[in-house]
Amino acid sequence: MPRTAPTTAPTANTPHRTPAVGRRRWPAAVAGALVAAALGGVTTPAHAAAPAAGSASGRYVALGDSYAAGAGVPAISGGLCLRSDHNYGHVVAATLAPAAYTDRTCAAAKVSALTTAQTDAGIVVNGPQLDAVTPDTSLVTLTVGGNNLGTSDLGFVDVVATCSALAITNPLGAPCRAHYKDTLSRRLDAAAAQLSGSLQRLRAKAPAARVLLVGYPAVLPDDAKRCLGKMTVTTGDLTYLRSVLGELNDKLAGVAAASGATYVDTTAATKGHDSCSSSPWIEGLLPLKPALPLHPNADGERAMARAVLTALAP
């Protein structure tokens, strides 16, 4: 059942839908795809940083995909959107104490979800996210683009599943890189162009808002060998996948610069706590803490929130 945000955070104005059991397909698809590929207690929140000078005093709107939603981290609401009351938006809102906070993040969101309703089996899961932005909005955070890498709702996880399946064909090489060639770069180019248009629409709706485009965390380590025995992807393809995530963040940084937004680097903020580390803030293919595979756990969401708050500081 949907649950409200904790009393330490402003009340989130989010659509709460309780889907029929048969419609919970996205989380099941994530787990099923990755477990198949592999076979072929939340940490107590730390106290947030002290409010930064110039904290949001108006409306704060959080937008984006499962990384922004904190999908899989209890407590979850928003039906199939899997919004967590411990996602980075809630942590930021609890620190800044804006007059109002709206969380419109949603798992499986692609860039198109900013302007078009997300649906599942023809049923609306989440309305166009930009509908939450109004003229009195003073702060917007947004993480989106990763799901555009995949053809399904699994997004980047879809790509990892493909790489896992291909590993058996060339265990010592990079069969996934050979499979995709420049496909993923072209998908990122298309997503970046679409995101630029959406940010223009956002700016028109809330001309005075400060917009933060929040990048993706350190999902994979610098040294791919650290994932040996932990990831069913070849070492060569792990290096390739890390470069894809780097390109994704580079595209987001470029879009932010061209659109007058602020890019927030969360890779540095989570470095050393990737999915293959001994102290992961990003869960692996088979999560050990509540989170979706290859997604931030509660610690990761707090780290992303700290990066946002640092970017907001004068």
Side-chain angles (χ1 to χ4, degrees), residues 46 86-88 91-92 214-215 217-218 264-271 273 280-282 296-311:
H86 284 67
N87 63 24
Y88 75 73
V91 176
V92 169
V214 183
V264 179
D265 177 10
T266 66
T267 299
T270 53
K271 186 178 177 64
H273 296 278
W281 294 349
I282 316 298
N297 53 32
D299 292 321
E301 290 292 329
R302 284 195 296 274
M304 294 176 76
R306 287 194 295 269
V308 170
L309 291 168
T310 297

Side-chain angles (χ1 to χ4, degrees), residues 214-258:
V214 183
Y216 289 83
V219 179
L220 299 172
D222 294 345
D223 182 4
K225 293 179 181 178
R226 287 176 51 195
C227 290
L228 289 174
K230 297 179 180 180
M231 296 275 284
T232 55
V233 179
T234 70
T235 300
D237 278 335
L238 284 169
T239 299
Y240 164 66
L241 289 174
R242 188 177 178 280
S243 73
V244 169
L245 289 174
E247 184 179 359
L248 167 59
N249 281 330
D250 287 345
K251 299 287 187 190
L252 293 178
V255 169

Side-chain angles (χ1 to χ4, degrees), residues 113-212:
L114 294 174
T115 55
T116 306
Q118 277 180 259
T119 61
D120 182 78
I123 299 174
V124 174
V125 172
N126 200 37
Q129 294 192 20
L130 286 185
D131 284 359
V133 178
T134 53
D136 62 337
T137 299
S138 60
L139 175 65
V140 177
T141 55
L142 168 63
T143 299
V144 74
N147 286 327
N148 288 72
L149 284 166
T151 56
S152 73
D153 286 348
L154 305 181
F156 178 70
V157 181
D158 178 25
V159 174
V160 176
T162 297
C163 293
S164 295
L166 289 172
I168 194 172
T169 66
N170 186 5
L172 300 179
C176 196
R177 180 176 59 195
H179 170 75
Y180 281 110
K181 298 183 175 64
D182 66 342
T183 298
L184 299 185
S185 289
R186 287 189 282 107
R187 289 177 184 173
L188 288 178
D189 286 339
Q194 188 177 21
L195 180 57
S196 293
S198 294
L199 288 181
Q200 290 178 6
R201 295 180 66 170
L202 189 161
R203 185 63 68 192
K205 290 172 68 69
R210 183 164 185 189
V211 180
L212 272 61

